[in-house]
Amino acid sequence: MTVDAEEEILSCVPRRLAEWRADADGRVVAERPRTEARGLRAIIEHLRWFMTHPRIRLDEVGSFVWQRLDGERTLGEIAEETTGAFPDRAEGMGERLALFATALHHQGLIELRVAHED
């Protein structure tokens, strides 16, 4: 990922789309949404959904981040909070969070919108 792409993603505001819950240990389990496609494409998408892991269990850092994907804060702000909460994992946090958000977006778990400057 290039620095420009990372900065662009970190300026986005993420919002959760998936249903989720926190386990007793505080780790998040998110459920990938089912497709809304119709016809033959829907059959293929449903098969793919069943053949892959429909539930994703996040580690402690991923769970911390997930709980902050509220549609209000930018990924950059969330990266700063995460760095503060996990100082031993601070190195490269922006890049890792940009990659994590991109993966969540591609799986349909979150949406990313461009933040409007006031």
Side-chain angles (χ1 to χ4, degrees), residues 55-74:
R55 288 180 188 84
I56 300 168
R57 187 168 195 265
L58 302 176
D59 67 7
E60 64 181 337
V61 176
S63 295
F64 182 89
V65 170
W66 179 267
Q67 292 177 20
R68 283 151 184 78
L69 304 178
D70 57 9
E72 300 292 324
R73 295 175 258 208
T74 66

